[in-house]
Amino acid sequence: MKGSKIIKKSIVYFTATLVTVLLLPASIVFGQTDTSRTLNEVSINAHKALIIPSITPSQQINNQDFIKSGSFNVADAVRNFSGVNIKDYGGIGGIKTISVRGLGAGHTAVFYDGLQLNDAETGQIDLSKLSLINICSITLYNGQPDNLLQPARAFASASVLSLQTIPDQLSKNKPHEITAGVKAGSFGLFNPYVLYQQRLSKRWTAVVTSNYINANGRYKFNTPNDGSDTLSIRHNSQVRSLQTDAALYWNKNDSSLFSLHANFYNAKRGLPGAVVFYTESPGEKLDNDDIILQASYKHIWKNSLQLLLSSKVSQLKTRYLDSPYFNTQGYILQHYKQREAYQSAAFSYNVTNNWTVSYAADGSYTKVDADIYKYAYPSRFTLLNVLASKVKFNRWELAGNLLHTYIKEHVERGKAFQQSPVLSPTLMLLLQPFNSKELKLRAFYKNIFRAPTLDELYYFAFVDRVIKPEFVKQYDLGATYNKDLSGLLSYVFVNADVYYNNVRDKIIGIPSTNPAVFSFSNVGKVDIKGVDLGIKTATRNFNNWYLSLSANYTYQQALDMTDPASSTYLQQIAYTPKHTLALNAGVNFKNFGVYYNQVISSKRNYNGDNDPEHDVPGYAVGDASLLYNTNINHLPLRFSVEANNIFNKYYAIIQSYPMPGRSYRLTMQITI
């Protein structure tokens, strides 16, 4: 009886959402008027705002701007985005994960050229492993990407961080190109890299990227507000890694596109442990050996039907060593192997010129093996189905989708996680209130589901562990204003969003003695209310001079609403600052550019009871960079100098994990 009620309720839910997603657009699209537009003239000395056309809030940074923010990896590049909180364990070897609007790393899907980088074991991607060498752009979407022709996984998270690699720009007259460079600097950093593009034929192109990093990771630190001026040296943060990405691209008049990626990552690094009274664990080591193969095929028919096929297989091998350790062996040695097979098929069709529908289905199988005591050896099969629709009508744009999630799990020891199928609806709206296109209003609602990860369920689970799934209701209301100017300023772009996230059975990750693996628990109900504000502007060119400025501010109140009798009731959840501000300013003259980047964060609390004794102090960190572009024998040559944390502030993002003080980095790059 109970099962039949659930089925009936699901059918009603499914039908009601389909009426909104599909039938409502049908009632308005056939009365469309001419929506053609005349493009305004653009002055050649004007600069344009980098605006992503999206019905949901989105932010982007491209490879021309990485140097402006002093970015070394993906984690550095996205820290200036509003609503973003990077958990950084310090140094080059420290793990770095992203949390968007207080929802944790597990709710942000990281996509690499259209396919998700998945870690079913921990549920979070270490952004420090992702190099910027071959990245063209990084886009953060709150909710989901705007494009309907996507794998179902793109609809299955609260936010999406999309990484796009550099597209080939080769031609018959230029059949190959080599970009080579080297970075060197503090912490013993030596980082040579190369990007090679080769036109194989009229339709085939190959791109190979290789990036090597070697650094000792040592830096000075002190403990903020401990009453002393004692400095110590951070050890065990060394890293040696090699990452190679090989890709093949095939195209046929843009109606058929095929790509094949092979990505190899091998790293040996020390894990900087917690520092207690200037004493840190000397022996934790983490080795990674990852192989990812992915392919995609896109075809467009003349009747507007589009097909996207995506495939991936991966193997992630991890070796963890903690030595010396006070047990009978004198050390802890653990090996993990995670394997995944994934297939997706997506279709989209233009019912009319202004109405598009799509369907996507994804299937994935993941298995994790580990040589730890009484391990469950779990495997998980996940099936995602999503039906989506988008309609444009004069000044309106309405979109929605319904996601169906099915999970089946198996373990060799203990009790497997069980979850009934889940239906997750999303509705999005974009409105241009006036004839002028400068101002646009937007809103979205998304109900999303996240199952516990395999680590949350089975890591050292000597008895059956009960971790509940996490459900989130997202609400967002915002506006954008984008105007081209003809005076001193070339443009101004302003965005503002207020949001509310209602979380049921939120899963909180707390660092354990092994920073590569967290301990997790449900805290019940959490209410997250926030405001994201952003502004971008730049002057026009005056005698080869121009200035640029951007700022992003976030206010976030994330309160534990679980138990009125608890000390954490109505208190800010752990590691969630209320205020963050990121500023970036630049001065450009001919081939020179000087940039300053400032990141400011208010205090956080590391255990959720908001006792001042448990505060992690706020911080303000400034970075500066100098860029010079020139040519040698018509070959583009770039030099850059970066000074990070130029005021040498000692601070921590995670309690007991001190961040580096002042550091320097030099880069030289040539394109042949």
Side-chain angles (χ1 to χ4, degrees), residues 286-444:
L286 186 69
D287 298 347
N288 297 99
D289 192 4
D290 303 342
I291 301 175
I292 301 174
L293 300 175
Q294 68 180 54
S296 66
Y297 173 74
K298 180 181 179 180
H299 185 77
I300 305 174
W301 284 272
K302 292 182 179 180
N303 63 355
S304 81
L305 179 65
Q306 298 187 49
L307 167 68
L308 177 64
L309 297 176
S310 305
S311 307
K312 189 180 77 168
V313 292
S314 64
Q315 177 176 275
L316 313 180
K317 295 173 66 176
T318 304
R319 177 182 181 270
Y320 169 74
L321 173 66
D322 188 359
S323 176
Y325 192 84
F326 297 106
N327 59 5
T328 55
Q329 288 103 351
Y331 62 88
I332 294 177
L333 179 61
Q334 300 169 354
H335 298 82
Y336 304 87
K337 181 189 294 184
Q338 179 182 158
R339 288 165 290 176
E340 182 189 31
Y342 167 80
Q343 179 63 51
S344 171
F347 300 87
S348 74
Y349 179 71
N350 295 336
V351 180
T352 71
N353 290 335
N354 304 290
W355 181 22
T356 304
V357 295
S358 72
Y359 169 75
D362 291 10
S364 64
Y365 175 79
T366 306
K367 191 176 191 317
V368 177
D369 296 328
D371 57 356
I372 61 178
Y373 183 62
K374 290 186 177 181
Y375 192 57
Y377 297 96
S379 61
R380 175 178 289 179
F381 173 75
T382 304
L383 179 63
L384 302 174
N385 289 273
V386 63
L387 186 62
S389 177
K390 179 166 66 173
V391 62
K392 297 181 180 180
F393 178 70
N394 291 335
R395 302 174 189 169
W396 295 76
E397 185 173 340
L398 179 66
N401 57 263
L402 184 62
L403 172 71
H404 177 270
T405 304
Y406 171 82
I407 297 175
K408 180 67 175 179
E409 206 154 289
H410 174 75
V411 295
E412 296 181 13
R413 181 182 289 112
K415 185 178 180 181
F417 169 74
Q418 295 182 351
Q419 175 61 43
S420 301
V422 178
L423 291 171
S424 306
T426 300
L427 290 173
M428 299 165 286
L429 174 67
L430 183 67
L431 169 64
Q432 179 185 308
F434 309 112
N435 287 330
S436 173
K437 300 177 179 64
E438 283 87 1
L439 178 65
K440 293 183 179 179
L441 307 178
R442 61 192 178 198
F444 79 83

Side-chain angles (χ1 to χ4, degrees), residues 476-501:
D476 181 277
L477 181 63
T480 63
Y481 181 80
N482 181 27
K483 185 174 179 59
D484 294 330
L485 304 173
S486 57
L488 173 64
L489 298 180
S490 175
Y491 71 88
V492 62
F493 173 74
V494 179
N495 64 280
D497 284 88
V498 294
Y499 60 87
Y500 170 61
N501 297 329

Side-chain angles (χ1 to χ4, degrees), residues 75-204:
D76 297 332
V78 301
R79 61 180 175 165
N80 280 17
F81 287 165
S82 59
V84 165
N85 183 24
I86 297 294
K87 290 187 176 181
D88 192 334
Y89 291 83
I92 292 179
I95 294 172
K96 307 177 196 322
T97 62
I98 184 173
S99 174
V100 179
R101 293 186 171 182
L103 294 177
H107 275 288
T108 300
V110 180
F111 275 66
Y112 184 85
D113 274 351
L115 274 80
Q116 185 180 357
L117 300 175
N118 190 39
D119 191 328
E121 182 186 351
T122 66
Q124 49 193 344
I125 302 300
D126 180 7
L127 299 184
S128 71
K129 294 166 56 175
L130 303 177
S131 167
L132 296 172
I133 301 305
N134 66 331
I135 299 298
C136 174
S137 65
I138 303 174
T139 309
L140 175 65
Y141 297 93
N142 290 111
Q144 60 200 40
D146 193 58
N147 185 12
L148 292 190
L149 189 67
Q150 298 268 359
R153 277 182 170 179
F155 299 84
S157 297
S159 58
V160 172
L161 187 67
S162 177
L163 314 179
Q164 291 293 324
T165 59
I166 297 174
D168 75 90
Q169 298 177 341
L170 303 178
S171 64
K172 185 178 180 180
N173 297 326
K174 188 178 183 181
H176 65 268
E177 182 177 279
I178 299 175
T179 299
V182 60
K183 296 176 183 286
S186 302
F187 320 129
L189 174 66
F190 176 65
N191 173 210
Y193 59 89
V194 62
L195 172 63
Y196 174 63
Q197 303 180 56
Q198 178 67 55
R199 193 169 187 255
L200 303 177
S201 68
K202 181 179 179 180
R203 304 195 187 282
W204 288 92

Side-chain angles (χ1 to χ4, degrees), residues 503-523:
V503 187
R504 192 179 79 203
D505 295 321
K506 181 173 177 63
I507 303 172
I508 291 288
I510 304 295
S512 64
T513 55
N514 174 3
V517 181
F518 287 41
S519 62
F520 293 88
S521 62
N522 291 106
V523 298

Side-chain angles (χ1 to χ4, degrees), residues 584-615:
N584 189 278
V587 179
N588 297 267
F589 174 70
K590 293 184 178 181
N591 297 332
F592 286 92
V594 180
Y595 310 100
Y596 179 75
N597 194 79
Q598 179 88 43
V599 177
I600 303 171
S601 174
S602 63
K603 67 178 183 179
R604 288 132 290 134
N605 193 278
Y606 63 82
N607 68 354
D609 65 4
N610 290 192
D611 190 316
E613 294 183 359
H614 301 145
D615 282 347

